[in-house]
Amino acid sequence: MNTDSAARAADLDAIDRVVATVEHSQRHKDPDEFLSLFHPDAVWTTGGGKVLLGLDAISAFTRKVLPADDWDGRVTYEVVHVFFIRPDVAAVKVRQLYLAPDGAAEGAPLYVMSKQDDGRWLLTACQNTAVVAD
């Protein structure tokens, strides 16, 4: 494997770990773990269309809704596609499933992530979208 291929594989692995951490934080309703994944100037659009600008707004919203959610925490997140816009910016399409005894709800978030100088990938511009059954 050449250096560029090894670097790309490492980036893909790091992006997968971010998405796995999103899943873990949602399952455990852990706002601190979730918020640690964001760039300070991030933009987040919720599944309901609420636009949150910056980590302070994302934090206020997350700390209010995540621990208070009444679902049982059964959720999965799967990276389905990564498009590197630049070597340090990636558009990441995710399949999100909320599992409940009475059925499942699906989401199709798009996470734009940016690679920091220290090598960490952070959520930078994200859109959480519900999938509506046909």
Side-chain angles (χ1 to χ4, degrees), residues 101-125:
D102 59 345
E106 185 175 349
L110 175 65
Y111 300 156
V112 176
M113 295 187 195
S114 58
K115 187 176 184 178
Q116 307 306 294
D117 291 340
D118 63 4
R120 292 180 307 138
W121 283 88
L122 295 179
L123 299 170
T124 305

Side-chain angles (χ1 to χ4, degrees), residues 69-123:
D69 246 339
D70 62 359
W71 61 285
D72 69 2
R74 293 183 347 134
V75 62
T76 64
Y77 287 71
E78 173 191 6
V79 173
V80 294
H81 183 73
V82 177
F83 168 59
F84 285 93
I85 299 167
R86 299 184 338 199
D88 61 342
V89 178
V92 182
K93 197 63 185 165
V94 174
R95 182 170 189 240
Q96 172 190 67
L97 289 176
Y98 286 93
L99 309 167
D102 59 345
E106 185 175 349
L110 175 65
Y111 300 156
V112 176
M113 295 187 195
S114 58
K115 187 176 184 178
Q116 307 306 294
D117 291 340
D118 63 4
R120 292 180 307 138
W121 283 88
L122 295 179
L123 299 170

Side-chain angles (χ1 to χ4, degrees), residues 27 41 55 81 126 128 131:
R27 283 185 176 194
D41 298 319
L55 188 54
H81 183 73
C126 304
N128 205 3
V131 174

Side-chain angles (χ1 to χ4, degrees), residues 25-26 28-38 55 58-59 61-68:
S25 69
Q26 297 299 301
H28 294 91
K29 300 180 184 180
D30 184 342
D32 291 325
E33 182 179 44
F34 181 66
L35 294 166
S36 74
L37 302 170
F38 283 88
L55 188 54
I58 296 165
S59 178
F61 177 83
T62 299
R63 291 183 189 288
K64 179 180 174 187
V65 301
L66 184 57

